Amino acid sequence: MDRSQELYNGDQNLEENLISHEVTESSSSVPQATNYKRWFRVSIYVIFVLFCQPLATILGRLYYENGGNSTYVVTLLQLIGFPVLVLFRFFSRIRQPKSTDTNFSQSPSFTTLASVYLCTGLLVSAYAYLSAVGLLYLPVSTFSLILASQLAFTAFFSYFLNSQKFTPFIVNSLFLLTVSSALLVVNTDSENSTNVSRVQYVIGFICTIGASAGIGLLLSLIQLLFRKVFTNHTSSAVMDLAIYQSLVASCVVLIGLFASGEWETLPNEMRNYKLGKVSYVLTLASAAISWQVYTLGLVGLIFESSSVFSNSITAVGLPIVPVVAVIVFHDKMDASKIFSIILAIWGFLSFVYQHYLDEKKLKTSHTSDLHLPVEEGHTNIQSL
């Protein structure tokens, strides 16, 4: 009888161990599956950023090359497609539980939100207009290389707004990106075409630098806002910021379009477009859609990772533009421009490597905190 009881107890213990093992494996597979889904989303957003920004830039230059002259139109193309973000927010909100996406106790006031949307919208409209002017006067390859300096401006503004530390890799990145842009200034004679004077080239260069600085300032401000204002870092907060700042910026640019009188020349511009009316409409529509898909990817990367990471991915796509520009617009690719591309990529890699070190350090400190000894009288969560 005792022997049979021991066998029964042994079988029961074995069954309990198997069940607990299965439960442990199933519970550990849930975070792993969630992690795979997250990286899938990140990969989709990265593809949006890498392909849509170069495509939108090329389409903007195509508009200028074939008879388009309105800088306000090119500016508006970067902003006017924000209803795509509204649809994305609507469908993403349907799939998410309300309890995980709202926190009324930490929501900013209406006045605070209105001020944030207004200020960021004005900043977006300013750098979008400056980039439109720069794209008008500069070869698209030169324009994209200068715009890569946004990484340096992001680090610079983050130093003052977000206490960004200037590590050796960050300093190296700032130096390389500065030299990369300086090489293009020295090489102005070989870049100038018969349609652009030296004064216009300099204006385009200054406006592109201003646009790059505006992007860097905006991303640093977004990082500050999510640390100080939007403390409940939710998808709704990210999407609302992108939507409302685009709405404000679109209104500002539309006011400029009508106040300047450029809207009166658009019908004649469409009639005289070298590729035809249909191509005129398709070029503008494709550029607007490309910019918003790019914005969607940028916003997604900010939510899934950080503004620094999204900016880094943006910089990866910039060297793609000069290669495409040589094929499509027959831009010159001399030794100085090739060297500038190499320096820009080197500076980008240095910036990304510092970001990798920061993430690794953060994960290490988080892991060490989880394994700290528990004081007497408290229960270790890992033992539950």
Side-chain angles (χ1 to χ4, degrees):
M1 188 70 179
D2 295 337
R3 179 61 177 172
S4 61
Q5 184 69 27
E6 290 178 1
L7 290 174
Y8 174 76
N9 291 336
D11 292 339
Q12 189 177 18
N13 291 335
L14 177 61
E15 185 178 357
E16 290 177 354
N17 290 335
L18 289 174
I19 292 174
S20 63
H21 180 67
E22 290 177 358
V23 171
T24 303
E25 283 189 344
S26 61
S27 62
S28 63
S29 63
V30 172
Q32 189 175 8
T34 305
N35 193 41
Y36 285 147
K37 291 180 180 179
R38 177 182 177 273
W39 279 110
F40 176 76
R41 292 194 301 269
V42 169
S43 301
I44 295 297
Y45 293 145
V46 167
I47 292 174
F48 285 171
V49 171
L50 287 181
F51 287 94
C52 290
Q53 187 201 26
L55 177 60
T57 304
I58 292 295
L59 289 172
R61 187 61 199 175
L62 185 68
Y63 164 79
Y64 283 139
E65 289 284 334
N66 292 279
N69 296 303
S70 176
T71 52
Y72 282 104
V73 167
V74 176
T75 304
L76 199 60
L77 292 178
Q78 304 175 48
L79 310 166
I80 199 64
F82 68 88
V84 174
L85 300 178
V86 177
L87 292 176
F88 179 78
R89 187 192 187 286
F90 175 75
F91 288 112
S92 63
R93 184 159 187 165
I94 290 177
R95 292 181 301 160
Q96 290 183 351
K98 293 183 179 180
S99 59
T100 62
D101 202 43
T102 55
N103 191 342
F104 295 103
S105 61
Q106 296 182 0
S107 298
S109 64
F110 174 80
T111 305
T112 302
L113 289 176
S115 301
V116 168
Y117 297 149
L118 180 62
C119 293
T120 56
L122 290 174
L123 181 58
V124 168
S125 63
Y127 86 68
Y129 180 77
L130 290 174
S131 66
V133 175
L135 189 60
L136 174 64
Y137 293 136
L138 295 180
V140 66
S141 56
T142 304
F143 169 82
S144 61
L145 287 173
I146 297 173
L147 210 61
S149 62
Q150 62 183 264
L151 277 175
F153 283 109
T154 302
F156 174 77
F157 289 116
S158 293
Y159 174 79
F160 295 101
L161 298 178
N162 302 305
S163 301
Q164 170 74 48
K165 295 181 180 179
F166 276 0
T167 64
F169 290 106
I170 294 294
V171 173
N172 182 58
S173 176
L174 296 177
F175 175 76
L176 292 173
L177 291 170
T178 303
V179 173
S180 174
S181 299
L183 284 175
L184 300 175
V185 179
V186 177
N187 199 38
T188 55
D189 292 334
S190 62
E191 287 290 338
N192 286 339
S193 62
T194 55
N195 297 326
V196 178
S197 66
R198 185 176 180 85
V199 174
Q200 289 175 325
Y201 185 94
V202 173
I203 292 174
F205 186 91
I206 294 174
C207 287
T208 307
I209 287 290
S212 182
I215 296 173
L217 177 59
L218 178 66
L219 290 175
S220 300
L221 278 176
I222 289 176
Q223 186 176 350
L224 178 65
L225 289 172
F226 280 106
R227 191 160 49 87
K228 298 291 187 180
V229 180
F230 303 104
T231 52
N232 52 336
H233 192 293
T234 61
S235 59
S236 294
V238 177
M239 293 303 298
D240 286 345
L241 179 60
I243 291 169
Y244 287 113
Q245 72 181 16
S246 296
L247 174 61
V248 172
S250 298
C251 293
V252 172
V253 176
L254 282 173
I255 292 173
L257 176 64
F258 285 98
S260 66
E262 283 190 10
W263 67 277
E264 297 177 349
T265 64
L266 296 183
N268 185 52
E269 183 180 273
M270 183 172 63
R271 285 192 298 268
N272 297 327
Y273 195 67
K274 294 179 182 179
L275 301 179
K277 295 181 180 179
V278 176
S279 296
Y280 179 85
V281 175
L282 288 177
T283 300
L284 297 184
S286 300
I289 294 173
S290 298
W291 275 120
Q292 287 312 305
V293 175
Y294 158 75
T295 304
L296 179 62
L298 196 68
V299 169
L301 289 178
I302 291 175
F303 178 70
E304 295 290 347
S305 181
S306 65
S307 60
V308 175
F309 180 72
S310 64
N311 194 18
S312 301
I313 297 300
T314 300
V316 175
L318 292 175
I320 299 175
V321 178
V323 178
V324 179
V326 172
I327 300 173
V328 178
F329 302 113
H330 306 291
D331 281 4
K332 296 179 181 179
M333 186 59 69
D334 50 21
S336 62
K337 188 174 290 186
I338 294 175
F339 190 55
S340 178
I341 293 175
I342 294 173
L343 290 180
I345 294 175
W346 186 4
F348 158 75
L349 292 176
S350 181
F351 192 90
V352 170
Y353 184 69
Q354 181 58 53
H355 179 63
Y356 164 76
L357 293 178
D358 293 340
E359 290 288 331
K360 186 177 180 181
K361 184 178 179 181
L362 182 62
K363 289 180 180 179
T364 303
S365 62
H366 180 67
T367 304
S368 62
D369 289 341
L370 290 177
H371 291 85
L372 286 175
V374 182
E375 296 180 3
E376 187 177 354
H378 295 276
T379 304
N380 191 341
I381 190 172
Q382 292 182 336
S383 64
L384 295 179

